[in-house]
Amino acid sequence: MAIHVNRRKFIASLSGATAAWPLAARVQQPTMPVVGFLTSATLSGYAPFAAAFRQGLSETGFVEGQNVAIEYRSAEGQNDRLPALAAELVRPQVTVIAAAGTPSALAAKAATKRIPIVFSTATDPVAIGLVASLNRPGGNITGVTNLGTELVQKQLEMLQRLVPTATIMAVLINPTSPSLTESTAKDAQAAARKLGVQLHLLHASTASDLDGVFATMVQLRVAAFVVGPDAFFFSRRDQIAELATRYAMPAIYYVREFAAAGGLMSYGVSVADGYRVAGVYVGRILRGATERLASPGVDEVRASHQPKDCQDTRPRRATRTIRRCRRANRVTMLFAASAHDR
């Protein structure tokens, strides 16, 4: 069900970026490319998705510690820290930023218009302004969406079938992720009206909030609840599943990892596979970057079939050389497309 933003058109949109980059920045690129992995969740809680991301990288020939380095930045469940963490990745100029989740993607996009960003999100990237369109993302950002927020209607329907006597239900959302919250709340309320059930939107953004949420559900006589898609909830899946068992509260979750942690049931796509695909995207961008770094001389976009007079590698002439040779050499992309994309 994952929707993949068109890779070829994204890569093509960056084709002129090399000429625009300062020459000094290109010279100072490390021999081993660096990926910045940005997430709002705890790294330990997000470990399965990070592992899936690394698997995608390995499928394109990149293995952490061997030919690629990964700088991890985690907001530890505090989304207000994401802008500063994104800036930390931009300052040393990582090769690519992998933004895990919607809040991370928005923070990365605000931090740079130059460094490529590959996101993985549960909502419509066009609706929240990440990309211009799925077919033509534009700018320096692309990625994968599983549209998990749009599944809440089906989740409520399945929950009602499981607990047919339930007339009061709840949806758990994170108020510090407004883009996810708004989409989830809107679809959940529409579904509740259709199903004829009373719906409560309950907020939680810290571990201590979760204890209070379950106490509130008891007071409101909630018969069953849905956990909305959010990186914080995923990182606290063990706690949520344990609380649901303690309070004997039927619940449905958006990924199978909650059920594996002891939750009742899940309905959704494989989020881990989305991260694997994001890793593949990053690997393809890195492939172009490493090819550029491996080329001799300072003029990183030089191709072997260029005319001899276009192979001047002196720093002072690099920009002029690029302009003069652009017609002779069409392979001037900073991030080369794979054979599959051509």
Side-chain angles (χ1 to χ4, degrees), residues 27-34 62 66-69 95 289-291 293-294:
V27 174
Q28 293 170 3
Q29 291 268 349
T31 55
M32 181 182 291
V34 180
F62 290 94
Q66 293 184 15
N67 57 356
V68 66
T95 312
T290 53
E291 287 173 358
L293 288 170

Side-chain angles (χ1 to χ4, degrees), residues 49-63 272-284 287:
F49 293 164
F53 172 79
R54 289 191 295 270
Q55 178 187 343
L57 275 178
S58 68
E59 290 176 14
T60 58
F62 290 94
V63 179
D273 191 59
Y275 277 90
R276 182 193 64 79
V277 173
V280 171
Y281 284 15
V282 169
R284 290 177 177 177
R287 185 184 303 161

Side-chain angles (χ1 to χ4, degrees), residues 60-81:
T60 58
F62 290 94
V63 179
E64 183 180 12
Q66 293 184 15
N67 57 356
V68 66
I70 303 179
E71 287 286 335
Y72 297 92
R73 293 293 185 275
S74 165
E76 301 292 325
Q78 301 177 48
N79 287 346
D80 58 349
R81 294 180 55 200

Side-chain angles (χ1 to χ4, degrees), residues 150-266:
E150 298 188 7
L151 298 178
V152 68
Q153 297 188 43
K154 186 65 176 180
Q155 290 162 352
L156 278 170
E157 180 183 333
M158 294 181 68
L159 201 54
Q160 189 186 49
R161 290 181 181 180
L162 181 69
V163 191
T165 58
T167 58
I168 304 175
M169 296 185 181
V171 175
L172 185 60
I173 53 181
N174 183 354
T176 66
S177 302
S179 55
L180 286 173
T181 296
E182 292 171 7
S183 178
T184 302
K186 180 181 178 181
D187 288 347
Q189 289 166 338
R193 287 192 295 269
K194 181 179 179 180
L195 297 172
V197 299
Q198 182 180 352
L199 185 71
H200 294 283
L201 300 176
L202 302 180
H203 295 181
S205 58
T206 66
S208 59
D209 288 343
L210 293 172
D211 292 305
V213 161
F214 278 85
T216 299
M217 283 196 286
V218 171
Q219 294 174 358
L220 296 174
R221 298 184 179 181
V222 170
F225 73 100
V226 176
V227 174
D230 190 85
F232 166 69
F233 297 146
F234 183 84
S235 67
R236 306 302 303 184
R237 59 191 179 279
D238 291 329
Q239 180 185 0
I240 294 173
E242 190 277 328
L243 285 169
T245 300
R246 185 195 309 172
Y247 283 88
M249 188 77 67
I252 187 169
Y253 308 91
Y254 64 97
V255 287
R256 67 178 303 276
E257 284 81 2
F258 282 89
L264 179 61
M265 65 177 181
S266 66

